Amino acid sequence: MIIKNIINNSTRKSRLRSLVWAIGLGVLSVTPVLAQNKADTALGNPFIRSMYTADPSAHVWKDGRLYVYASHDISPSRGCDLMDQYHVFSTDDMVHWKDHGEILRASQISWGRPEGGFMWAPDCAYKNGTYYFYFPHPSDSKWNDSWKIGVATSKSPASGFTVQGYIKGLKSMIDPCVFVDDDGQAYFYYGGGGKCEGGKLKSNMMEIEGEMKPMEGLEDFHEASWVHKRNGIYYLSYSDNHDVAGKHNQMRYATSNSPLGPWKSQGIYMDPTDSYTNHGSIVQYKGQWYSFYHTSAISHQDWERSVCVDKLYYNAVGTIKKVIPTEGIKK
C-alpha cells in the first residue's frame, strides 16, 4: 500500500500505458475481464482472477503447500480506502491455485476504525503449532494517524483466524513483516513514509522484546519491507520512492549478516510494473526461489490490482538477478 498522495494519485497513470504493458505480457489475450477462479485452476499471470488482490505475502508451511496471503481491492475502487478483507490462496506446483476464501474483514476487529476499510498489506508466521496473521488497520476515523498492527491466530493456515488484539507500543506505521530465523527467534518489521524499523518478537509472537530500531543502510526506502534468508545472508527487500516519467515503485533490496542490520544496499531487483504501487515477497519452494508482486494488468486501474509470481535467480556472489515479469510459471 501507499500513504503519500493516496487519493490524488489514483488516476495519474494512463490506461493506454497499462494496456500496452499488459498486451506485452500476453495477459489481455486470455483475461479481458475478471473470470471466476475454480479450485486448482491454472491461469498464469495474474494467477488470481476471481477478484482483485494485492500485497502478496508468500509462505511455505508444514503441509508442503505454498500459501499466499493477500489484501483485496474492492471494485469500483476509491483509492486504497475500501480495502476491507483478506483472502488466502495456495498451490503445490506453482501452476494450479486453490482459493481458500476470506479469513478476516474489518467488521471483526473490535478496536478498528468505525468506518471499516483500510485493511492493507498483511503477513503470516508459524510458531509452536499456531499461525499468526499480522495486519495493519487504523483504530480511528483519522486513519493516517492511528495505524495499529493487529494479530489474529489459528491452528489452520487458511481458516479459523480469531483476532487477539494488536502489538502494543508501536508507531502509526504499516506493512508488517515477520521473519522467523533458523533458531526459532521471530523478528518483526514495519514501516511506511520512508521509515523502516525492526525488532525481536517475544515468544508469544504478540509483543516486542526490547525496542524497535531503525533499519540502517537502506537506500530510498518507501514501504513493503520483506525479509528472507539464503546461505546465511539476510535479505531485506522493499518498495522505493521512484516516480519518473509515469513509472513508480521499483523493488530494491539490501543484505546483512544480521536480521536487524546494518544493511548494505544492493540495488533494484524489479523495475516498475503498470501499477502505481508494487509490494512483493520472496520465498523458496521445492528448490526454486520465487518473486511475488502485483500489477494492474487486468483492470488497468492503479487501485484494482492482481497478484503475480515469477522465478527469481541469484548470481554466484549472492546478489539477485533482475526479475522480468512473464505470462506466468509453466511446468
Side-chain angles (χ1 to χ4, degrees):
M1 300 321 321
I2 191 166
I3 289 183
K4 65 172 186 178
N5 302 326
I6 289 175
I7 304 301
N8 292 337
N9 287 324
S10 64
T11 59
R12 289 180 60 184
K13 294 172 68 64
S14 69
R15 292 190 181 188
L16 178 60
R17 184 179 295 110
S18 297
L19 181 63
V20 171
W21 189 90
I23 291 175
L25 288 185
V27 172
L28 292 186
S29 62
V30 295
T31 311
V33 296
L34 279 179
Q36 182 65 36
N37 266 44
K38 295 180 180 179
D40 299 317
T41 299
L43 293 174
N45 275 332
F47 63 85
I48 300 301
R49 303 184 188 181
S50 58
M51 66 188 72
Y52 294 122
T53 52
D55 312 316
S57 170
H59 291 277
V60 179
W61 299 135
K62 61 179 182 178
D63 63 358
R65 295 182 69 85
L66 183 148
Y67 289 80
V68 170
Y69 300 82
S71 57
H72 174 35
D73 286 347
I74 295 176
S75 180
S77 59
R78 189 172 69 231
C80 297
D81 59 344
L82 296 183
M83 300 173 69
D84 201 55
Q85 302 147 30
Y86 295 113
H87 284 250
V88 183
F89 309 89
S90 75
T91 182
D92 63 2
D93 63 3
M94 299 304 297
V95 174
H96 300 86
W97 289 87
K98 180 177 181 179
D99 182 352
H100 293 273
E102 178 185 316
I103 61 167
L104 186 66
R105 62 171 54 205
S107 61
Q108 296 172 269
I109 305 169
S110 61
W111 47 264
R113 181 175 183 265
E115 298 87 348
F118 292 93
M119 301 284 275
W120 288 3
D123 196 15
C124 193
Y126 173 82
K127 189 170 184 178
N128 297 333
T130 299
Y131 295 89
Y132 295 84
F133 183 71
Y134 300 86
F135 59 94
H137 186 61
S139 59
D140 190 88
S141 298
K142 297 179 180 179
W143 57 270
N144 204 31
D145 301 319
S146 63
W147 287 102
K148 289 179 171 55
I149 304 300
V151 186
T153 61
S154 176
K155 295 299 182 180
S156 167
S159 64
F161 282 92
T162 300
V163 177
Q164 302 297 338
Y166 57 85
I167 301 177
K168 303 294 194 301
L170 295 179
K171 298 175 182 176
S172 179
M173 295 201 291
I174 59 172
D175 293 354
C177 166
V178 174
F179 167 74
V180 180
D181 209 345
D182 301 332
D183 61 1
Q185 176 63 57
Y187 295 85
F188 176 82
Y189 309 83
Y190 72 153
K195 298 178 181 179
C196 180
E197 294 188 356
K200 288 184 177 181
L201 277 171
K202 292 184 179 180
S203 59
N204 63 13
M205 301 292 280
M206 289 192 58
E207 295 179 279
I208 302 299
E209 180 179 310
E211 296 182 355
M212 297 289 289
K213 69 174 188 176
M215 296 294 92
E216 299 177 355
L218 305 182
E219 179 180 351
D220 197 26
F221 178 88
H222 177 53
E223 61 186 13
S225 56
W226 178 267
V227 174
H228 74 279
K229 185 179 183 181
R230 176 183 179 270
N231 294 343
I233 299 174
Y234 298 88
Y235 293 75
L236 195 162
S237 51
Y238 58 94
S239 169
D240 72 6
N241 293 291
H242 183 260
D243 191 3
V244 177
K247 295 290 186 179
H248 304 290
N249 293 155
Q250 301 170 126
M251 299 303 293
R252 292 182 176 268
Y253 76 104
T255 57
S256 177
N257 293 321
S258 165
L260 296 176
W263 301 91
K264 180 181 178 182
S265 178
Q266 299 288 0
I268 299 163
Y269 78 90
M270 189 172 189
D271 293 328
T273 68
D274 63 332
S275 177
Y276 185 78
T277 69
N278 202 354
H279 189 116
S281 57
I282 297 173
V283 67
Q284 186 182 37
Y285 186 51
K286 296 184 177 180
Q288 172 66 55
W289 287 90
Y290 294 94
S291 171
F292 287 82
Y293 58 98
H294 63 233
T295 75
S296 297
I298 293 177
S299 69
H300 322 307
Q301 302 284 345
D302 286 327
W303 311 112
E304 295 173 12
R305 298 156 296 184
S306 299
V307 293
C308 300
V309 61
D310 276 295
K311 293 180 179 180
L312 179 144
Y313 298 94
Y314 295 83
N315 294 302
V317 295
T319 53
I320 299 176
K321 294 183 179 182
K322 186 74 70 74
V323 175
I324 307 300
T326 71
E327 294 180 15
I329 305 296
K330 300 183 186 298
K331 274 192 170 181

